[in-house]
Structures are given as structure tokens and as C-alpha cells.
Amino acid sequence: MSAAAPFLSVVVPAYRCAAYLQQCLRGLQASDLPRASWELIVVDDGSPDNTADVARTAADRVLRVADGPRGPAHARNMGARAATGSVLVFIDADVVVAPHTLRGFASHFAADPTLGAAFGAYDDAPAEMDFISQYRNLLHRYVHTLHPGEADTFWAGCGAVRRDTFLAVGGFDAVRYPRPQIEDIELGYRLREAGARIVLDPELQGKHLKRWSFGNMVRTDLRERAIPWMHLILRRGEAMQRGPLNLRVREKLYTIFTAIGVAATMGAFVFWNNALAYIGAFCVVVVLLGNAALLSWFGSRRGFFFAVGVAPLRLLYYAEAGLGAAWAIVTHRPQVEPVRLPPLAAYEQTAS
């Protein structure tokens, strides 16, 4: 690492997650980047449990959102305002970074003065062993390993931004996103529009501790991802353009094929129409063949039967994406006045 390596400010937003946070902080403390090279700021988003007490065992500063919870976007902005480092490293409270991750971020920014932001990926060994949790976390890993290098988006679960660049674009949009949604993706768009370069390095890894349930997965994909993401795309007028990661053109086509397949299959049952049944089956086959590489990857990591179980979840994902997009289109209202983000200087700092 260069002698000009930046001083890092690690910002961890936390809400009612004492057990996760304890593991997160242990991971940070095990970093091979010298402790003198980084500070740790935990922002407690008004937790009713002992999250703040856990934070005090390791953090240099513990801030509290007095009127929380107001969401991770607001908490990260508060932490950024208090930071003294030239690079902000955002780590979610349910992520345990690998020992080399902080050093990796420092190396990226030291080696490339033009770099505006960088982010990593989950590792391939999720903490929770149930099928849904393994699927969700490994899927994230797969998507983030497909296209390393220059990126069009950003991820705040394990990502870093130059502080002056972050301040220049106004930080996270805590107005539109008062709960965990796509606030980091939206920030990525604004960073790119401001001319900042973003790099995806899958070797900057963190282990995800979250346990996913089927219901939580469906709710997150539909309400917190598909609908707000489509609203964002419509506001930007980019519905037909190539998008980042899982918004690439082929993913949009798979969503369309899934919608046709669902409609045709339902029609086949209602009208007992063989032609509609064939159309539905054809669409399903197209989508699954399009996901062959992903299914093969899952098979190589978790076995054949795991990959078989993933197949219907991929169809469900595309169905949710289509439903979310349709709902967003119906409920979309043209923006008359742009949302004005409050200046970061307005974020109160309450030491806990």
C-alpha cells in the first residue's frame, strides 16, 4: 500500500441489532489495516435495545439519532458529517468484513487519485445455513462477481466513497428513502453523473449475517427493490436503457418472458387451452436457459438439488420484478419540483 494511503472513516449504521453488531465490530477489529489508519463511527438509529452499549465497546464515536429510526441513509449521512477521514467506508451492521477488506479499500484509493468510490461483495460462506439465506446471499455474490471493474452503481453494505465527493453530491437521499431500500443505488447514479469513477472489486468481501425468510425475501424484492427502483428509472427516463448489474437488458427480457409465461399459464388453466400452455412452458424454458450459468454456479457451490431449488425462485424473482415495475408505472407521478436534499451540515450529531 502506498505511503499516501488515506485515513479511513468507517461508518456503521445500526438499529436494534446488538448481536449482529457485536460480530460486525469484531470483524473490523480483526482488520489487518493498522488501527491508527482508520476511525470507527457507529450511528445508533434510535435503537430500543442495547445496540449503543455494544457500539461503545469498540467505536471511537457513537452517535445517536434522537428521533430515530430514520433509516440507514440518514444514519450514514450523520456519520459522514462526523467523520474526519478522507475516505468514508460504509459497512452494514450485519456484515463481517474479511481481515483484508479495509486495507483493500485504502489501497484502491491510494493507487488511483481519480477513483470516486469502490464497493465489494458478500463472500461465498453465508452465516445462516437455511436454503433461503444461502440462496439470497450467494446470489448477491454471483451478481457482484460477474462484472468486476468499472461500475455504474454503488453498494453501501461494504462500500467506500471519497468524503469530498460524497459531500459534493449531497450524500444519501434520506428524504425519499427513510428505510432500507435503494438509497445506495440512487447515490451511485448521482456519483456517476458528477463524474466520479466507481469500481467493483469482489475481493473486498464481507460475510452477511442476516437470516432470510421466504416472506421477507418477497417483501424486500417487491416493496423495497422493484417498486422504488422502477420509480427511480422512470424519474430518470431510462426505462429502455442498459442498466447496472441486475438491470441489464437480458434481465429485463427475462422479466417480460416470465410475465408472458405467467399470463399464458393462467389462461391455459382458465380456458383449458393447450396453445397457451405451450406458450407458458416455452417462456419458462427460455428464462431458465437464460439462467443456466447462474444455476450451474449454484450447483458447483451447493450441489445439484440446491440448484434445482433455485430455479423456481428465479421465476418468482422475475415475476416480482414485473409486478413491481407495473405497479410503479401505474403509480408514477411526473416530478414537478426536484427533491432538495438537506445539506449534510444540517444533520445533528448526538453523542451516545
Side-chain angles (χ1 to χ4, degrees):
M1 187 167 61
S2 167
F7 183 72
L8 307 181
S9 291
V10 180
V11 177
V12 180
Y15 176 68
R16 203 167 61 181
C17 59
Y20 283 161
L21 180 62
Q22 188 172 49
Q23 297 180 66
C24 171
L25 298 180
R26 286 175 181 167
L28 289 167
Q29 289 175 309
S31 173
D32 60 17
L33 182 68
R35 191 63 176 83
S37 300
W38 55 282
E39 66 176 348
L40 176 57
I41 301 170
V42 177
V43 184
D44 174 24
D45 196 13
S47 301
D49 63 1
N50 64 329
T51 291
D53 294 330
V54 171
R56 292 189 195 98
T57 65
D60 297 301
R61 297 194 64 183
V62 180
L63 307 178
R64 182 175 175 83
V65 180
D67 55 348
R70 296 184 61 180
H74 180 92
R76 294 188 192 110
N77 286 348
M78 183 183 291
R81 183 191 172 212
T84 61
S86 59
V87 172
L88 305 169
V89 180
F90 298 108
I91 303 296
D92 280 351
D94 61 356
V95 172
V96 179
V97 296
H100 66 272
T101 294
L102 293 187
R103 176 170 47 83
F105 278 124
S107 297
H108 271 293
F109 286 95
D112 187 353
T114 69
L115 184 63
F119 64 100
Y122 292 142
D123 64 18
D124 58 2
E128 295 290 344
M129 297 305 295
D130 63 283
F131 177 75
I132 295 295
S133 297
Q134 289 279 309
Y135 162 69
R136 286 294 301 202
N137 294 322
L138 288 172
L139 176 63
H140 183 282
R141 174 70 184 170
Y142 175 81
V143 171
H144 279 217
T145 56
L146 280 181
H147 302 283
E150 297 289 328
D152 298 319
T153 187
F154 182 68
W155 176 50
C158 182
V161 187
R162 288 195 190 274
R163 187 170 184 268
D164 56 356
T165 303
F166 182 81
L167 297 177
V169 300
F172 290 98
D173 185 347
V175 177
R176 282 199 179 99
Y177 307 111
R179 62 178 187 266
Q181 290 185 306
I182 60 164
E183 69 279 355
D184 47 2
I185 295 169
E186 191 274 341
L187 173 64
Y189 280 119
R190 283 186 285 117
L191 288 171
R192 286 304 300 263
E193 287 176 346
R197 289 181 51 247
I198 307 173
V199 165
L200 164 56
D201 181 357
E203 295 309 307
L204 303 175
Q205 295 181 20
K207 182 183 299 297
H208 201 200
L209 303 176
K210 181 174 180 176
R211 183 179 182 85
W212 287 90
S213 68
F214 181 81
N216 181 252
M217 177 185 71
V218 171
R219 183 170 57 254
T220 298
D221 281 345
L222 184 60
R223 189 183 71 172
E224 315 300 0
R225 304 284 291 182
I227 293 174
W229 205 336
M230 190 60 185
H231 276 306
L232 175 61
I233 290 171
L234 292 172
R235 284 199 306 271
R236 295 174 56 83
E238 297 179 347
M240 301 307 295
Q241 296 182 23
R242 174 184 178 274
L245 299 180
N246 52 342
L247 275 188
R248 296 182 184 278
V249 172
R250 65 172 179 271
E251 296 295 301
K252 297 174 183 176
L253 291 175
Y254 298 153
T255 298
I256 293 171
F257 270 101
T258 301
I260 295 173
V262 169
T265 301
M266 292 177 63
F269 278 105
V270 171
F271 300 108
W272 293 97
N273 187 303
N274 288 337
L276 290 176
Y278 293 143
I279 293 173
F282 173 78
C283 290
V284 168
V285 170
V286 168
V287 174
L288 293 181
L289 287 177
N291 279 261
L294 180 147
L295 296 174
S296 176
W297 184 85
F298 270 107
S300 69
R301 263 58 175 187
R302 294 295 184 272
F304 172 78
F305 290 105
F306 192 101
V308 170
V310 167
L313 293 183
R314 293 306 293 161
L315 295 172
L316 174 63
Y317 166 79
Y318 291 118
E320 292 168 339
L323 180 61
W327 180 260
I329 291 171
V330 169
T331 59
H332 177 68
R333 296 293 180 269
Q335 185 172 312
V336 178
E337 293 290 337
V339 169
R340 302 294 182 184
L341 301 184
L344 290 184
Y347 282 80
E348 65 174 306
Q349 296 182 40
T350 305
S352 175

